[in-house]
Amino acid sequence: MTDTKPIRRIAIIGTGVIGASWTALYLAKGLQVVATDVAPNAEAALRKFVEAAWPALKRLGLSPGASQSNLSFTPALAQAVANADLVQENGPERIDFKQKLYGQLDELLPPEVIVASSSSGLTMSEIQKGAASHPERCVIGHPFNPPHLIPLVEIVGGAKTSEATIQRAAEFYTSIGQRTVRLNKELPGHVANRLQAALGREVYHLVSEGVVSAADVDTALSWGPGLRWGVMGNMMLNHLGGGPGGIEHFFQQFTGPMTAWWKTLGSPVLTAGLRSRGGQLPRSGVDAIKAWVTEPPFSARPPSRPSSPFCPPGTDHVRS
């Protein structure tokens, strides 16, 4: 793939939660969007979502040319992908469905058009088996939900994905303000969901063992490490935690205690009793989070990272 044509027209396949959020983001970035979904009332639901998300997107900053009027909808797949520069696929997580769909796209699209899947559980190596002619232009472009507010995109190639496709996809997502990470190997759940799963396992273990209540474990996470992780990741935090000696000193000081804790981490069974404890969380909190999706209290778009690997002035107290 050597095409360098600007990506200005996006075809959205599947307008559920993820597809609708992608649509809102692309419109806010001034792109043309043609969406398709065969579900009843899909167009009305999509337009309602975009309208609800628009005030938050305005506060985050609309790009020149951004308009809800740039959205068109058709239930016909061929019409939706005609003249598309990139396809963002958000279909059901069923390999038979995906492979059939990619076979259709293979016939409908010029070879230079990227097909990016939002799949979180299927590998591109399996999905692209449906694209017999041009598997090289198929790639995972997995967002962190909701993508119109959360900028992470995980890019994963399959066995037959070209390097040019991976590079062009990364450049496109970066150009619209997303933060990309590239996976060098395919894994179920990619990276961010696996990190969530590891943390979630210990959360449920602590609650199941009666160490802490469901509400308090959320408080510990949100008002402790969660605040740090909103600024920088685990590796950089450990680097800061080592002081002037950096991460090497951190490992010298904390390897023993840290690996000892690892041995005590749990593997809970999600019994009916454990699941019921989630119902003890205040209902008002759930309603507040639902409102946040369209009325975020702050921008999820992070500032540029500092060039120095050491903590900025006034933050040298950060520790693991």
Side-chain angles (χ1 to χ4, degrees):
M1 179 180 291
T2 58
D3 186 72
T4 56
K5 176 185 175 183
I7 296 175
R8 301 297 305 166
R9 185 180 177 91
I10 310 295
I12 297 285
I13 300 178
T15 59
V17 173
I18 299 297
S21 185
W22 271 127
T23 298
L25 172 68
Y26 290 142
L27 292 171
K29 298 303 178 180
L31 303 176
Q32 298 286 328
V33 178
V34 183
T36 185
D37 197 309
V38 297
N41 302 315
E43 180 178 3
L46 174 60
R47 293 189 183 278
K48 181 179 180 180
F49 181 97
V50 172
E51 183 178 4
W54 207 251
L57 289 165
K58 287 181 68 175
R59 287 196 298 276
L60 292 173
L62 298 177
S63 296
S67 173
Q68 295 181 58
S69 65
N70 290 337
L71 170 63
S72 59
F73 185 96
T74 174
L77 177 65
Q79 185 177 345
V81 302
N83 302 313
D85 299 319
L86 180 142
V87 174
Q88 188 75 50
E89 175 269 309
N90 315 282
E93 290 283 82
R94 301 199 317 268
I95 192 61
D96 57 336
F97 177 92
K98 299 273 195 192
Q99 289 178 347
K100 181 180 178 180
L101 173 61
Y102 278 61
Q104 294 174 287
L105 295 174
D106 214 25
E107 296 177 357
L108 292 169
L109 294 167
E112 68 274 9
V113 177
I114 292 174
V115 181
S117 177
S118 300
S119 178
S120 60
L122 302 175
T123 66
M124 182 46 66
S125 290
E126 288 299 313
I127 295 172
Q128 67 188 174
K129 288 179 179 178
S133 298
H134 294 288
E136 77 283 349
R137 46 96 168 271
C138 304
V139 66
I140 295 288
H142 176 251
F144 214 61
N145 191 34
H148 73 283
L149 297 178
I150 308 297
L152 178 66
V153 181
E154 296 172 311
I155 298 176
V156 197
K160 295 185 178 181
T161 305
S162 71
E163 180 65 23
T165 294
I166 293 173
Q167 291 295 331
R168 190 162 177 241
E171 290 170 2
F172 166 67
Y173 289 123
T174 300
S175 74
I176 61 171
Q178 303 302 90
R179 294 297 183 95
T180 64
V181 296
R182 176 178 177 174
L183 275 66
N184 299 314
K185 296 181 179 180
E186 295 179 294
L187 282 174
H190 312 313
V191 169
N193 278 332
R194 291 177 69 90
L195 294 173
Q196 280 195 139
L199 179 61
R201 183 173 67 176
E202 185 62 15
V203 164
Y204 289 117
H205 169 68
L206 294 171
V207 173
S208 69
E209 292 297 310
V211 174
V212 68
S213 69
D216 279 352
V217 77
D218 276 2
T219 297
L221 179 59
S222 299
W223 293 95
L227 293 176
R228 294 180 179 177
W229 293 334
V231 178
M232 63 190 74
N234 185 80
M235 301 297 287
M236 182 60 78
L237 282 167
N238 288 170
H239 191 52
L240 297 182
I247 198 167
E248 295 84 359
H249 181 69
F250 173 88
F251 285 137
Q252 293 171 6
Q253 190 169 7
F254 295 112
T255 292
M258 184 168 61
T259 55
W261 294 341
W262 288 352
K263 295 176 183 178
T264 68
L265 296 177
S267 296
V269 177
L270 297 179
T271 62
L274 175 56
R275 292 197 298 268
S276 69
R277 298 189 192 186
Q280 300 170 6
L281 294 169
R283 191 68 209 170
S284 59
V286 176
D287 294 336
I289 293 300
K290 287 182 178 178
W292 184 87
V293 173
T294 54
E295 299 291 333
F298 55 89
S299 170
R301 311 270 152 181
S304 299
R305 288 184 179 179
S307 58
S308 171
F310 297 100
C311 48
T315 60
D316 58 348
H317 60 281
V318 178
R319 293 292 184 268
S320 68

